[in-house]
Amino acid sequence: MIIANWKSNIVDMNQWTHDFDDEYIVNERLQSTIFGVAPPSLYIETMHLMRALNIPGHSALQEVLTGVQDVDHSYGSRTGAISVDMVIDTGCNFAIIGHSERRDLFNEDNDLIKEKLKSLKNKVMAVLCIGETKEENDKGITKDVLKQQLDIVKGLELDQSFTVAYEPVWAIGSGLTPESKDINEIHKYIKDVVQSNSANSLIPKVLYGGSVTDKNAESFFKEEFVDGALVGGASLDGSTFAKIVNIFNSTKKI
Ligand code: PGA
């Protein structure tokens, strides 16, 4: 599973889909590979419209899932917020929650993120982001931090689609990444923690996020417990994002 997070960037969608289509190699072997885009919410309908028009040269759009970069845990009189029902109504397939930029810039805490997770449950696929800061990494407390962030799944019955994105805060947008083998170890740890904490012992898919590019993606995808990637900066270019999807398709064993 490869997910693009466009954050608050304006992307020329016509150009993006054209570039994606040019590069993307349809994969017969791994037909079930999921790849999706979380554009700024204002542009989701445009993406859906382009898909409906089925423009020649944009055929890969038919396969792209769409999602939101965040969601509100409630609905109604909450100016500016996007509710889960609105996400469903617009035909979106997934919602990213708990991104470190939401935690940091918008002061979102674990309690709120748990409410979001509960409101998504069984309706829209949740991509829960977790990750440690540079300081926490230096102190050697990465696993403690992740465990605490994963506390929110305690006692919850999780849908099969529930997905975690491991995104070290220090790797996001920095060009730095952990070693692939360290990412693999952390992903195994995340799977174990969710399995032992969730009510139905779910083993989640775990994506890696933080400075993923078409140059380093293969080294991550080769690792056993890396189930895909959440891609920020490199996803703004349709061709680069398609290359990352292609690398995933050719690297991952079924
Ligand atoms: P990046 O962002 O790929 O630009 O590092 C990843 C993310 O924030 O999800």
Side-chain angles (χ1 to χ4, degrees), residues 81-195:
I82 294 171
S83 71
V84 174
D85 283 343
M86 288 156 71
V87 172
I88 296 168
D89 190 45
T90 48
C92 287
N93 310 91
F94 66 91
I96 299 170
I97 52 171
H99 192 282
S100 64
E101 287 154 16
R102 301 292 316 176
R103 293 177 194 260
D104 182 28
L105 303 173
F106 300 90
N107 295 321
E108 296 196 0
D109 62 14
N110 253 2
D111 291 342
L112 178 63
I113 296 163
K114 180 164 190 163
E115 288 309 307
K116 293 182 185 214
L117 179 58
K118 279 163 60 182
S119 65
L120 286 171
K121 203 162 95 60
N122 297 331
K123 296 186 199 162
V124 175
M125 178 181 138
V127 180
L128 170 68
C129 300
I130 58 171
E132 82 287 1
T133 62
K134 172 88 177 76
E135 198 186 3
E136 290 160 344
N137 188 281
D138 288 346
K139 279 193 201 151
I141 57 168
T142 295
K143 285 185 177 169
D144 300 326
V145 171
L146 300 178
K147 190 161 198 258
Q148 192 246 330
Q149 290 173 334
L150 286 171
D151 251 7
I152 66 169
V153 306
K154 256 191 191 141
L156 293 187
E157 184 112 2
L158 296 169
D159 188 61
Q160 284 299 322
S161 67
F162 173 73
T163 301
V164 178
Y166 169 53
E167 299 208 302
V169 180
W170 53 273
I172 295 175
S174 65
L176 305 171
T177 68
E179 296 288 323
S180 304
K181 63 171 182 19
D182 296 335
I183 292 174
N184 198 44
E185 188 197 322
I186 293 288
H187 281 210
K188 169 84 175 72
Y189 176 74
I190 291 170
K191 285 171 187 273
D192 288 347
V193 172
V194 173
Q195 187 182 19

